[in-house]
Amino acid sequence: MSYLLHIDASSLGEASVSRQVARSFRDEWKGAVVHRDLALSPAPHLSAAGITARVTDPAERTPEQAKALAVQDELIEEFLGADAYLFTVPMYNLSMPSVFKAWLDQIMVDGRTLSFDGPPPTAGRPAVLISARGGGYGPGAPKHGMDHLVPTLETVLGHPTNLGLDLTTVLPELTMAPHVPALASLLPLHEASLTDAHAQARGLATAIGGRQAA
């Protein structure tokens, strides 16, 4: 069965702007969806057992290694089984939520999702990254150059020597403007960014869904 794999990493539940924009995508998506909410059910951080199990003969694995590998197998098979991806990853303290990094560490395995002698198995599959942020990080903004989330994920998820996904990024910005008096003057910019993000999300769902059905 082909499906959209939706990985959620926001801790805020329904109050999350990233999740709200992702909902616009999901509302337009017509196919099957597998949803993994890392805030409710986080992937464990990669352990020594999980690392060493990858290079240990199955007959010689300890119970800890076998348990750690079972987690990796589940997450990797779920990842490889999808034909499209939606990642809900807000910016936390200039980078990604730790639950998403833990998930990445579990699924990025040479010979399974990564390949050093050719394209990865997920190369070219469509993916959307939705990442809300409280401020602005574009050219001219005081924090320009401090975004350590999107450049990292575009490299990890999209670069052909990594997971190789055909990644599009949607960035609703200035989400703190409605809540911080000092940012009140930026409220119109936030509202415009949010409106545009919802429109982008709906358009991408339609375009990717149509491409998958063709």
Side-chain angles (χ1 to χ4, degrees):
M1 180 187 73
S2 62
Y3 55 85
L4 171 78
L5 177 59
H6 181 190
I7 303 294
D8 253 324
S10 173
S11 300
L12 276 178
E14 294 306 310
S16 162
V17 172
S18 296
R19 287 179 185 258
Q20 292 165 14
V21 175
R23 175 51 57 188
S24 287
F25 183 103
R26 291 278 303 274
D27 286 347
E28 295 296 321
W29 185 260
K30 306 305 181 187
V33 178
V34 171
H35 182 206
R36 182 171 289 274
D37 191 333
L38 297 175
L40 295 179
S41 183
H45 288 283
L46 192 60
S47 65
I51 296 171
T52 57
R54 298 171 179 175
V55 294
T56 300
D57 185 278
E60 298 179 0
R61 288 178 187 142
T62 67
E64 292 79 10
Q65 287 176 319
K67 182 178 179 181
L69 197 62
V71 171
Q72 292 179 42
D73 286 343
E74 177 186 350
L75 296 175
I76 289 170
E77 288 167 13
E78 181 179 78
F79 177 73
L80 291 175
D83 57 1
Y85 304 86
L86 175 63
F87 301 105
T88 309
V89 189
M91 178 187 283
Y92 286 177
N93 299 314
L94 307 180
S95 188
M96 72 187 76
S98 62
V99 291
F100 193 76
K101 182 60 166 62
W103 177 82
L104 282 175
D105 289 341
Q106 295 286 359
I107 68 137
M108 295 184 71
V109 178
D110 180 35
R112 302 191 67 183
T113 59
L114 301 176
S115 173
F116 295 117
D117 58 3
T122 52
R125 296 183 192 178
V128 174
L129 167 64
I130 297 173
S131 179
R133 57 272 320 286
Y137 294 83
K143 292 190 175 182
H144 177 56
M146 296 186 190
D147 180 351
H148 300 288
L149 169 61
V150 169
T152 298
L153 289 186
E154 289 183 340
T155 300
V156 170
L157 299 173
H159 196 278
T161 61
N162 294 313
L163 296 175
L165 301 175
D166 181 8
L167 185 69
T168 303
T169 303
V170 179
L171 300 176
E173 292 195 313
L174 301 167
T175 61
M176 292 304 295
H179 311 290
V180 177
L183 300 178
S185 63
L186 300 176
L187 190 56
L189 292 176
H190 159 65
E191 292 172 345
S193 175
L194 185 59
T195 297
D196 183 59
H198 281 288
Q200 285 185 67
R202 289 189 291 267
L204 286 164
T206 300
I208 294 171
R211 190 167 108 196
Q212 300 304 99

